[in-house]
Amino acid sequence: GLTDDKIASQAHLLGRDPETIERNYQRLSQLGLKDDKIASQAQLLGRDPETIERNYQALSKLGLKDDKIASQAHLLGRDPETIERNYQALSK
């Protein structure tokens, strides 16, 4: 569902392994992201699948529900240590 403009802006995805893109798409779909949300966060399709899963687990442990994670999907591609550090800082 990516438009030509989105593909052009995320051209690095053209060089990624199609299986990685498919695995990430399936996982993001399982988390409740709709196709338009995945398209708007297309950079996640090219991320390391283990990073997405690790961040999902970390966000879940912090108490975020799947619908909240889906609404803030960009967090799945962030550095997990930064997420934890920011969570601790905000908790204080």
Side-chain angles (χ1 to χ4, degrees):
L2 296 173
T3 64
D4 287 347
D5 287 342
K6 191 64 165 181
I7 293 169
S9 72
Q10 299 291 326
H12 68 280
L13 293 175
L14 296 172
R16 291 291 296 179
D17 175 27
E19 291 175 8
T20 298
I21 291 172
E22 181 61 26
R23 272 181 44 199
N24 286 342
Y25 172 78
Q26 293 301 326
R27 183 63 177 129
L28 294 169
S29 292
Q30 289 172 354
L31 293 175
L33 276 75
K34 304 288 183 222
D35 285 352
D36 60 335
K37 183 69 170 186
I38 294 171
S40 74
Q41 298 290 323
Q43 72 279 4
L44 292 174
L45 294 171
R47 291 300 307 239
D48 175 44
E50 287 74 29
T51 298
I52 290 174
E53 186 60 32
R54 185 175 57 240
N55 285 350
Y56 169 75
Q57 295 299 327
L59 292 166
S60 291
K61 286 180 186 175
L62 295 176
L64 277 75
K65 304 288 184 227
D66 285 357
D67 61 333
K68 182 52 108 174
I69 294 171
S71 73
Q72 299 296 319
H74 65 279
L75 293 174
L76 294 169
R78 300 297 305 258
D79 174 54
E81 289 77 26
T82 300
I83 292 171
E84 178 64 28
R85 191 171 48 250
N86 288 345
Y87 175 80
Q88 295 302 328
L90 291 168
S91 294
K92 294 178 185 178

Coordinates of all heavy atoms in Angstrom, one line a residue:
G1 N 0.8 -1.2 0.0 CA 0.0 0.0 0.0 C 0.8 1.3 0.0 O 0.3 2.3 0.3
L2 N 2.1 1.2 -0.3 CA 3.0 2.4 -0.3 C 2.8 3.1 -1.6 O 2.8 2.5 -2.7 CB 4.4 2.1 -0.1 CG 4.8 1.5 1.3 CD1 6.2 1.0 1.3 CD2 4.5 2.4 2.4
T3 N 2.7 4.4 -1.6 CA 2.6 5.2 -2.8 C 4.0 5.3 -3.4 O 5.0 5.1 -2.7 CB 2.1 6.6 -2.5 OG1 3.0 7.3 -1.6 CG2 0.7 6.6 -1.8
D4 N 4.1 5.7 -4.6 CA 5.4 6.0 -5.3 C 6.2 7.0 -4.5 O 7.4 6.8 -4.3 CB 5.2 6.4 -6.7 CG 4.8 5.3 -7.6 OD1 4.8 4.1 -7.2 OD2 4.4 5.6 -8.8
D5 N 5.6 8.0 -4.0 CA 6.3 9.1 -3.2 C 6.9 8.5 -1.9 O 8.0 8.8 -1.5 CB 5.4 10.2 -2.9 CG 5.1 11.1 -4.1 OD1 5.8 11.0 -5.1 OD2 4.1 11.9 -4.0
K6 N 6.1 7.6 -1.2 CA 6.5 7.0 0.0 C 7.7 6.0 -0.3 O 8.7 6.0 0.4 CB 5.4 6.3 0.7 CG 5.7 5.8 2.1 CD 6.0 7.0 3.0 CE 5.9 6.6 4.4 NZ 6.1 7.8 5.3
I7 N 7.6 5.3 -1.4 CA 8.7 4.4 -1.8 C 9.9 5.2 -2.0 O 11.0 4.9 -1.6 CB 8.3 3.5 -3.0 CG1 7.2 2.5 -2.6 CG2 9.5 2.8 -3.5 CD1 6.5 1.8 -3.7
A8 N 9.8 6.3 -2.7 CA 10.9 7.2 -3.0 C 11.5 7.7 -1.8 O 12.8 7.8 -1.6 CB 10.5 8.3 -4.0
S9 N 10.7 8.1 -0.8 CA 11.2 8.7 0.5 C 11.8 7.6 1.4 O 12.6 7.9 2.3 CB 10.1 9.4 1.2 OG 9.2 8.6 1.8
Q10 N 11.5 6.3 1.1 CA 12.0 5.2 1.9 C 12.8 4.3 1.0 O 12.7 3.0 1.1 CB 10.9 4.5 2.6 CG 10.1 5.3 3.6 CD 10.9 5.7 4.8 OE1 11.8 4.9 5.3 NE2 10.7 6.9 5.3
A11 N 13.5 4.8 0.1 CA 14.2 4.0 -1.0 C 15.1 2.9 -0.4 O 15.3 1.9 -1.1 CB 15.0 4.9 -1.9
H12 N 15.6 3.1 0.8 CA 16.5 2.1 1.4 C 15.7 0.8 1.5 O 16.4 -0.3 1.5 CB 17.0 2.5 2.8 CG 15.9 2.6 3.8 ND1 15.0 3.7 3.9 CD2 15.5 1.8 4.8 CE1 14.2 3.5 4.9 NE2 14.5 2.3 5.4
L13 N 14.4 0.8 1.5 CA 13.6 -0.5 1.6 C 13.8 -1.3 0.4 O 13.7 -2.5 0.4 CB 12.2 -0.2 1.9 CG 11.8 0.4 3.2 CD1 10.3 0.8 3.2 CD2 12.1 -0.5 4.3
L14 N 14.1 -0.7 -0.7 CA 14.3 -1.4 -2.0 C 15.5 -2.4 -1.9 O 15.6 -3.4 -2.6 CB 14.5 -0.5 -3.2 CG 13.3 0.4 -3.5 CD1 13.6 1.4 -4.5 CD2 12.1 -0.5 -3.9
G15 N 16.5 -2.1 -1.0 CA 17.6 -2.9 -0.9 C 17.5 -3.9 0.3 O 18.5 -4.7 0.5
R16 N 16.4 -3.9 1.0 CA 16.3 -4.9 2.1 C 15.8 -6.2 1.6 O 15.1 -6.3 0.6 CB 15.2 -4.3 3.1 CG 15.7 -3.1 3.9 CD 16.8 -3.4 4.9 NE 16.3 -4.3 5.9 CZ 17.0 -4.8 6.9 NH1 18.3 -4.5 7.0 NH2 16.5 -5.6 7.7
D17 N 16.0 -7.2 2.4 CA 15.6 -8.6 2.2 C 14.1 -8.6 2.2 O 13.5 -8.1 3.2 CB 16.2 -9.5 3.2 CG 15.7 -10.9 3.1 OD1 15.3 -11.3 2.0 OD2 15.7 -11.6 4.2
P18 N 13.4 -9.0 1.2 CA 11.9 -9.1 1.2 C 11.3 -9.9 2.3 O 10.3 -9.5 2.8 CB 11.6 -9.7 -0.2 CG 12.8 -9.5 -1.0 CD 13.9 -9.5 -0.1
E19 N 12.0 -10.9 2.8 CA 11.5 -11.7 3.9 C 11.5 -10.8 5.2 O 10.6 -11.0 6.0 CB 12.4 -12.9 4.1 CG 12.2 -13.9 3.0 CD 13.1 -15.1 3.1 OE1 13.8 -15.3 4.1 OE2 13.1 -15.9 2.1
T20 N 12.5 -10.0 5.4 CA 12.5 -9.1 6.5 C 11.3 -8.1 6.5 O 10.7 -7.9 7.5 CB 13.9 -8.3 6.6 OG1 14.9 -9.2 6.8 CG2 13.8 -7.3 7.8
I21 N 11.1 -7.6 5.3 CA 10.0 -6.6 5.2 C 8.7 -7.4 5.5 O 7.8 -6.8 6.2 CB 10.0 -6.0 3.8 CG1 11.2 -5.1 3.6 CG2 8.7 -5.3 3.5 CD1 11.4 -4.5 2.2
E22 N 8.5 -8.6 5.0 CA 7.3 -9.3 5.2 C 7.1 -9.7 6.6 O 6.0 -9.6 7.2 CB 7.3 -10.6 4.3 CG 6.0 -11.4 4.5 CD 4.7 -10.7 4.1 OE1 4.8 -9.8 3.3 OE2 3.7 -11.1 4.6
R23 N 8.2 -10.1 7.3 CA 8.1 -10.5 8.7 C 7.7 -9.3 9.6 O 6.9 -9.4 10.5 CB 9.5 -11.0 9.2 CG 9.7 -12.4 9.1 CD 11.0 -13.0 9.6 NE 11.4 -12.4 10.9 CZ 12.7 -12.5 11.3 NH1 13.7 -13.0 10.5 NH2 13.0 -12.0 12.5
N24 N 8.3 -8.1 9.2 CA 8.0 -6.9 10.0 C 6.5 -6.5 9.7 O 5.8 -6.1 10.6 CB 8.9 -5.8 9.6 CG 10.3 -6.0 10.3 OD1 10.5 -6.7 11.2 ND2 11.3 -5.3 9.8
Y25 N 6.1 -6.6 8.5 CA 4.7 -6.3 8.2 C 3.8 -7.2 9.0 O 2.8 -6.7 9.5 CB 4.5 -6.4 6.7 CG 3.0 -6.3 6.3 CD1 2.4 -5.0 6.3 CD2 2.2 -7.4 6.1 CE1 1.1 -4.9 6.0 CE2 0.9 -7.3 5.8 CZ 0.3 -6.1 5.8 OH -1.0 -5.9 5.5
Q26 N 4.0 -8.5 9.0 CA 3.2 -9.4 9.7 C 3.2 -9.1 11.2 O 2.1 -9.1 11.8 CB 3.6 -10.9 9.5 CG 3.4 -11.3 8.0 CD 2.0 -11.3 7.6 OE1 1.1 -11.5 8.3 NE2 1.8 -11.0 6.3
R27 N 4.3 -8.8 11.8 CA 4.4 -8.5 13.2 C 3.6 -7.2 13.5 O 2.9 -7.1 14.5 CB 5.8 -8.4 13.7 CG 6.0 -8.2 15.2 CD 5.4 -9.4 15.9 NE 5.5 -9.2 17.4 CZ 4.5 -9.3 18.2 NH1 3.3 -9.6 17.8 NH2 4.8 -9.1 19.5
L28 N 3.8 -6.2 12.7 CA 3.1 -4.9 12.9 C 1.6 -5.1 12.8 O 0.9 -4.5 13.6 CB 3.7 -3.8 12.0 CG 5.1 -3.4 12.2 CD1 5.6 -2.6 11.0 CD2 5.3 -2.7 13.5
S29 N 1.2 -5.9 11.8 CA -0.2 -6.2 11.7 C -0.8 -6.9 12.9 O -1.8 -6.6 13.4 CB -0.5 -7.1 10.5 OG -0.2 -6.4 9.3
Q30 N 0.0 -7.9 13.5 CA -0.4 -8.6 14.7 C -0.6 -7.7 15.9 O -1.4 -7.9 16.7 CB 0.6 -9.7 15.0 CG 0.7 -10.8 14.1 CD 1.8 -11.8 14.4 OE1 2.7 -11.5 15.2 NE2 1.9 -12.9 13.7
L31 N 0.2 -6.6 15.9 CA 0.2 -5.6 17.0 C -1.1 -4.7 16.8 O -1.3 -3.9 17.7 CB 1.4 -4.8 17.0 CG 2.7 -5.5 17.4 CD1 3.9 -4.6 17.4 CD2 2.6 -6.1 18.8
G32 N -1.7 -4.8 15.7 CA -2.9 -4.0 15.5 C -2.8 -2.8 14.6 O -3.7 -2.0 14.5
L33 N -1.6 -2.7 14.0 CA -1.4 -1.6 13.1 C -2.1 -1.9 11.8 O -2.0 -2.9 11.2 CB 0.1 -1.3 12.8 CG 0.8 -0.5 13.8 CD1 1.1 -1.3 15.0 CD2 2.1 0.0 13.2
K34 N -2.9 -0.9 11.3 CA -3.6 -1.0 10.0 C -2.6 -0.7 8.9 O -1.6 -0.1 9.1 CB -4.8 -0.1 10.0 CG -5.8 -0.3 11.1 CD -6.6 -1.6 11.0 CE -7.6 -1.7 12.1 NZ -7.7 -3.0 12.6
D35 N -3.0 -1.1 7.7 CA -2.1 -0.9 6.6 C -1.7 0.6 6.4 O -0.5 0.9 6.1 CB -2.7 -1.4 5.3 CG -2.7 -2.9 5.2 OD1 -2.0 -3.6 6.1 OD2 -3.2 -3.5 4.3
D36 N -2.6 1.5 6.6 CA -2.3 2.9 6.4 C -1.3 3.4 7.5 O -0.4 4.2 7.2 CB -3.6 3.8 6.4 CG -4.4 3.7 7.7 OD1 -4.3 2.7 8.4 OD2 -5.1 4.7 7.9
K37 N -1.4 2.9 8.7 CA -0.4 3.2 9.8 C 0.9 2.6 9.4 O 2.0 3.3 9.6 CB -0.9 2.7 11.1 CG -0.1 3.1 12.3 CD -0.1 4.5 12.6 CE 0.6 4.9 13.9 NZ 0.4 6.2 14.3
I38 N 1.0 1.4 8.9 CA 2.2 0.8 8.5 C 2.9 1.6 7.4 O 4.1 1.9 7.4 CB 2.0 -0.7 8.1 CG1 1.6 -1.5 9.4 CG2 3.3 -1.3 7.5 CD1 1.2 -2.9 9.1
A39 N 2.0 2.0 6.5 CA 2.5 2.8 5.4 C 3.1 4.2 5.9 O 4.1 4.6 5.4 CB 1.5 3.1 4.3
S40 N 2.5 4.7 6.9 CA 3.0 6.0 7.4 C 4.2 5.9 8.2 O 5.0 6.8 8.4 CB 1.9 6.7 8.2 OG 1.7 6.1 9.5
Q41 N 4.5 4.6 8.7 CA 5.7 4.3 9.5 C 6.5 3.3 8.7 O 7.1 2.4 9.3 CB 5.3 3.8 10.8 CG 4.5 4.7 11.7 CD 5.4 5.8 12.2 OE1 6.6 5.7 12.5 NE2 4.8 7.0 12.3
A42 N 6.6 3.5 7.4 CA 7.3 2.5 6.5 C 8.7 2.2 6.9 O 9.2 1.1 6.6 CB 7.2 3.0 5.0
Q43 N 9.4 3.1 7.6 CA 10.8 2.8 8.0 C 10.8 1.6 8.9 O 11.9 0.9 8.9 CB 11.4 4.1 8.6 CG 10.9 4.4 10.0 CD 9.6 5.2 10.1 OE1 8.9 5.4 9.0 NE2 9.1 5.5 11.3
L44 N 9.8 1.3 9.6 CA 9.8 0.1 10.5 C 9.9 -1.2 9.7 O 10.4 -2.2 10.2 CB 8.5 0.1 11.3 CG 8.4 1.2 12.4 CD1 7.0 1.1 13.0 CD2 9.5 1.1 13.4
L45 N 9.4 -1.2 8.4 CA 9.5 -2.4 7.6 C 11.0 -2.8 7.4 O 11.2 -4.0 7.2 CB 8.8 -2.2 6.3 CG 7.3 -2.0 6.4 CD1 6.7 -1.6 5.0 CD2 6.6 -3.2 6.9
G46 N 11.9 -1.9 7.4 CA 13.3 -2.1 7.1 C 14.1 -2.3 8.4 O 15.3 -2.6 8.3
R47 N 13.5 -2.2 9.5 CA 14.2 -2.4 10.8 C 14.5 -3.9 11.0 O 13.9 -4.7 10.5 CB 13.4 -1.8 12.0 CG 13.3 -0.3 12.0 CD 14.6 0.4 12.1 NE 15.4 -0.1 13.2 CZ 15.8 0.6 14.2 NH1 15.6 1.9 14.3 NH2 16.6 0.0 15.2
D48 N 15.5 -4.1 11.9 CA 15.8 -5.4 12.4 C 14.6 -6.0 13.1 O 14.1 -5.3 14.1 CB 17.0 -5.4 13.3 CG 17.4 -6.7 13.9 OD1 17.3 -7.7 13.1 OD2 17.7 -6.7 15.1
P49 N 14.0 -7.1 12.7 CA 12.8 -7.7 13.4 C 13.0 -7.9 14.9 O 12.1 -7.7 15.6 CB 12.6 -9.0 12.6 CG 13.2 -8.8 11.3 CD 14.4 -7.9 11.5
E50 N 14.2 -8.2 15.3 CA 14.5 -8.4 16.7 C 14.4 -7.1 17.5 O 14.0 -7.1 18.6 CB 15.9 -9.0 16.9 CG 16.0 -10.5 16.5 CD 16.0 -10.8 15.0 OE1 16.4 -9.9 14.2 OE2 15.4 -11.8 14.6
T51 N 14.8 -6.0 16.8 CA 14.6 -4.7 17.5 C 13.1 -4.4 17.7 O 12.7 -3.9 18.8 CB 15.3 -3.5 16.6 OG1 16.7 -3.8 16.5 CG2 15.0 -2.2 17.3
I52 N 12.3 -4.6 16.7 CA 10.9 -4.4 16.8 C 10.3 -5.2 18.0 O 9.6 -4.7 18.8 CB 10.2 -4.6 15.5 CG1 10.6 -3.5 14.5 CG2 8.7 -4.7 15.7 CD1 10.0 -3.7 13.1
E53 N 10.7 -6.5 18.0 CA 10.2 -7.4 19.0 C 10.7 -7.0 20.4 O 9.9 -6.9 21.4 CB 10.5 -8.8 18.7 CG 9.9 -9.8 19.7 CD 8.4 -9.8 19.7 OE1 7.8 -9.5 18.7 OE2 7.8 -10.1 20.8
R54 N 11.9 -6.7 20.5 CA 12.5 -6.3 21.8 C 11.8 -5.0 22.3 O 11.5 -4.9 23.5 CB 14.0 -6.0 21.7 CG 14.7 -5.7 23.0 CD 16.3 -5.7 22.8 NE 16.6 -4.7 21.8 CZ 17.3 -5.0 20.7 NH1 17.7 -6.2 20.4 NH2 17.7 -4.0 19.9
N55 N 11.6 -4.0 21.4 CA 11.0 -2.8 21.8 C 9.5 -3.0 22.2 O 9.0 -2.4 23.2 CB 11.1 -1.7 20.8 CG 12.4 -1.1 20.7 OD1 13.3 -1.3 21.6 ND2 12.7 -0.4 19.7
Y56 N 8.8 -3.9 21.5 CA 7.5 -4.2 21.8 C 7.4 -4.8 23.2 O 6.6 -4.4 24.1 CB 6.9 -5.2 20.8 CG 5.6 -5.8 21.3 CD1 4.4 -5.0 21.3 CD2 5.5 -7.1 21.8 CE1 3.2 -5.5 21.8 CE2 4.3 -7.6 22.3 CZ 3.2 -6.8 22.3 OH 2.0 -7.3 22.8
Q57 N 8.3 -5.8 23.5 CA 8.4 -6.4 24.9 C 8.6 -5.3 25.9 O 8.0 -5.4 27.0 CB 9.4 -7.5 24.9 CG 9.1 -8.7 24.0 CD 7.7 -9.4 24.3 OE1 7.3 -9.4 25.5 NE2 7.1 -9.9 23.3
A58 N 9.6 -4.5 25.7 CA 9.9 -3.4 26.6 C 8.8 -2.5 26.9 O 8.5 -2.1 28.0 CB 11.2 -2.6 26.2
L59 N 8.1 -2.1 25.8 CA 6.9 -1.2 26.0 C 5.8 -1.9 26.7 O 5.1 -1.3 27.6 CB 6.5 -0.7 24.6 CG 7.4 0.3 23.9 CD1 7.0 0.4 22.5 CD2 7.5 1.6 24.6
S60 N 5.6 -3.2 26.5 CA 4.6 -3.9 27.2 C 4.9 -4.0 28.7 O 4.0 -3.9 29.5 CB 4.5 -5.3 26.6 OG 3.9 -5.3 25.3
K61 N 6.2 -4.2 29.0 CA 6.6 -4.3 30.4 C 6.4 -3.0 31.1 O 6.2 -3.0 32.3 CB 8.1 -4.7 30.5 CG 8.3 -6.2 30.2 CD 9.7 -6.6 30.3 CE 9.9 -8.0 29.9 NZ 11.3 -8.4 29.9
L62 N 6.4 -1.9 30.4 CA 6.2 -0.6 31.0 C 4.7 -0.3 31.2 O 4.3 0.7 31.7 CB 6.8 0.5 30.1 CG 8.4 0.5 30.0 CD1 8.8 1.6 29.0 CD2 9.0 0.7 31.3
G63 N 3.9 -1.2 30.7 CA 2.4 -1.1 30.9 C 1.7 -0.6 29.7 O 0.4 -0.4 29.8
L64 N 2.3 -0.4 28.6 CA 1.6 0.1 27.4 C 0.8 -1.1 26.8 O 1.4 -2.2 26.6 CB 2.5 0.7 26.4 CG 2.9 2.1 26.6 CD1 3.9 2.3 27.7 CD2 3.5 2.7 25.3
K65 N -0.4 -0.9 26.5 CA -1.3 -1.9 25.8 C -1.0 -1.8 24.3 O -0.5 -0.8 23.8 CB -2.8 -1.6 26.1 CG -3.1 -1.5 27.6 CD -3.0 -2.9 28.2 CE -3.5 -2.9 29.6 NZ -2.6 -3.6 30.5
D66 N -1.4 -2.9 23.6 CA -1.2 -3.0 22.2 C -1.7 -1.8 21.4 O -1.1 -1.3 20.5 CB -1.7 -4.3 21.6 CG -0.9 -5.5 22.0 OD1 0.2 -5.3 22.7 OD2 -1.3 -6.6 21.6
D67 N -2.9 -1.3 21.8 CA -3.5 -0.2 21.0 C -2.7 1.0 21.2 O -2.6 1.8 20.3 CB -5.0 0.0 21.4 CG -5.2 0.3 22.8 OD1 -4.4 -0.1 23.7 OD2 -6.2 1.0 23.1
K68 N -2.1 1.2 22.4 CA -1.3 2.4 22.6 C 0.1 2.3 21.8 O 0.5 3.2 21.2 CB -1.0 2.6 24.1 CG -0.2 3.8 24.4 CD -0.7 5.1 23.8 CE -1.4 6.0 24.8 NZ -1.8 7.3 24.2
I69 N 0.6 1.1 21.9 CA 1.9 0.8 21.1 C 1.6 1.1 19.6 O 2.4 1.7 18.9 CB 2.4 -0.6 21.4 CG1 2.8 -0.7 22.8 CG2 3.6 -0.9 20.4 CD1 3.2 -2.1 23.3
A70 N 0.5 0.6 19.1 CA 0.1 0.8 17.7 C 0.0 2.3 17.4 O 0.4 2.7 16.3 CB -1.2 0.0 17.4
S71 N -0.6 3.0 18.3 CA -0.8 4.5 18.0 C 0.5 5.2 18.1 O 0.6 6.3 17.6 CB -1.8 5.1 19.0 OG -1.3 5.2 20.3
Q72 N 1.5 4.7 18.8 CA 2.8 5.3 18.9 C 3.9 4.4 18.2 O 5.0 4.1 18.8 CB 3.2 5.6 20.3 CG 2.2 6.5 21.0 CD 2.3 7.9 20.4 OE1 3.3 8.4 20.1 NE2 1.1 8.5 20.2
A73 N 3.6 3.8 17.1 CA 4.4 2.8 16.4 C 5.8 3.2 16.2 O 6.7 2.4 16.2 CB 3.8 2.4 15.1
H74 N 6.1 4.5 16.1 CA 7.5 4.9 15.9 C 8.4 4.5 17.0 O 9.6 4.3 16.8 CB 7.6 6.5 15.7 CG 7.2 7.2 17.0 ND1 5.8 7.4 17.3 CD2 7.9 7.7 17.9 CE1 5.8 8.1 18.4 NE2 7.0 8.3 18.9
L75 N 7.9 4.3 18.2 CA 8.7 3.8 19.3 C 9.3 2.4 19.1 O 10.3 2.1 19.7 CB 7.8 3.8 20.6 CG 7.4 5.1 21.1 CD1 6.5 4.9 22.3 CD2 8.6 6.0 21.5
L76 N 8.6 1.6 18.2 CA 9.1 0.3 18.0 C 10.5 0.3 17.2 O 11.2 -0.7 17.3 CB 8.1 -0.5 17.1 CG 6.8 -0.8 17.8 CD1 5.8 -1.3 16.8 CD2 7.0 -1.8 19.0
G77 N 10.8 1.4 16.6 CA 12.1 1.5 15.9 C 13.1 2.3 16.7 O 14.2 2.5 16.1
R78 N 12.8 2.7 17.8 CA 13.8 3.5 18.6 C 14.8 2.7 19.4 O 14.6 1.5 19.5 CB 13.0 4.4 19.6 CG 12.0 5.4 19.0 CD 12.7 6.4 18.1 NE 13.7 7.2 18.8 CZ 13.6 8.4 19.2 NH1 12.5 9.0 19.1 NH2 14.6 9.0 19.8
D79 N 15.7 3.3 20.0 CA 16.7 2.7 20.8 C 16.1 2.2 22.1 O 15.5 3.1 22.8 CB 17.9 3.6 21.0 CG 18.9 3.1 22.0 OD1 19.4 1.9 21.8 OD2 19.2 3.8 23.0
P80 N 16.1 0.9 22.4 CA 15.4 0.5 23.7 C 16.0 1.1 24.9 O 15.2 1.3 25.9 CB 15.6 -1.0 23.7 CG 16.6 -1.3 22.6 CD 16.7 -0.2 21.7
E81 N 17.3 1.4 25.0 CA 17.9 2.0 26.1 C 17.4 3.4 26.3 O 17.1 3.9 27.5 CB 19.4 2.0 26.1 CG 20.0 0.6 26.2 CD 19.9 -0.3 25.0 OE1 19.8 0.3 23.9 OE2 19.9 -1.5 25.2
T82 N 17.2 4.1 25.2 CA 16.6 5.5 25.3 C 15.2 5.5 25.8 O 14.8 6.3 26.6 CB 16.6 6.2 23.9 OG1 18.0 6.2 23.5 CG2 16.0 7.6 23.9
I83 N 14.4 4.5 25.4 CA 13.0 4.4 25.8 C 13.0 4.1 27.3 O 12.3 4.8 28.1 CB 12.3 3.2 25.1 CG1 12.1 3.5 23.6 CG2 11.0 2.9 25.8 CD1 11.6 2.4 22.8
E84 N 13.8 3.2 27.8 CA 13.9 2.9 29.3 C 14.4 4.2 30.0 O 13.8 4.5 31.1 CB 14.8 1.8 29.5 CG 15.0 1.4 31.0 CD 13.7 1.0 31.7 OE1 12.8 0.4 31.0 OE2 13.6 1.2 32.9
R85 N 15.4 4.8 29.6 CA 16.0 6.0 30.2 C 14.9 7.1 30.3 O 14.7 7.7 31.3 CB 17.2 6.5 29.5 CG 18.0 7.5 30.2 CD 19.4 7.8 29.6 NE 19.3 8.0 28.2 CZ 19.8 7.2 27.2 NH1 20.3 6.1 27.6 NH2 19.7 7.5 26.0
N86 N 14.2 7.4 29.2 CA 13.2 8.4 29.2 C 12.0 8.0 30.1 O 11.4 8.9 30.8 CB 12.7 8.6 27.8 CG 13.7 9.4 26.9 OD1 14.6 9.9 27.4 ND2 13.5 9.3 25.6
Y87 N 11.7 6.7 30.2 CA 10.6 6.3 31.0 C 11.0 6.6 32.5 O 10.2 7.1 33.3 CB 10.3 4.8 30.8 CG 9.3 4.2 31.8 CD1 8.0 4.4 31.6 CD2 9.7 3.6 33.0 CE1 7.0 4.0 32.6 CE2 8.8 3.1 33.9 CZ 7.5 3.3 33.7 OH 6.6 2.8 34.6
Q88 N 12.2 6.2 32.9 CA 12.7 6.5 34.2 C 12.7 7.9 34.6 O 12.3 8.3 35.7 CB 14.1 5.9 34.4 CG 14.2 4.3 34.3 CD 13.2 3.6 35.3 OE1 13.0 4.1 36.4 NE2 12.7 2.5 34.9
A89 N 13.1 8.8 33.6 CA 13.2 10.2 33.9 C 11.8 10.8 34.0 O 11.5 11.6 34.9 CB 13.9 10.9 32.7
L90 N 10.8 10.3 33.2 CA 9.5 10.8 33.3 C 8.8 10.3 34.6 O 7.9 11.0 35.1 CB 8.7 10.3 32.1 CG 9.1 11.0 30.8 CD1 8.4 10.3 29.6 CD2 8.7 12.5 30.8
S91 N 9.2 9.1 35.0 CA 8.6 8.6 36.3 C 9.0 9.4 37.5 O 8.2 9.5 38.4 CB 9.0 7.1 36.5 OG 8.5 6.3 35.5
K92 N 10.1 9.9 37.4 CA 10.6 10.8 38.6 C 9.9 12.1 38.6 O 9.6 12.8 39.4 CB 12.1 11.0 38.5 CG 12.9 9.7 38.6 CD 14.4 10.0 38.5 CE 15.1 8.6 38.6 NZ 16.5 8.8 38.4

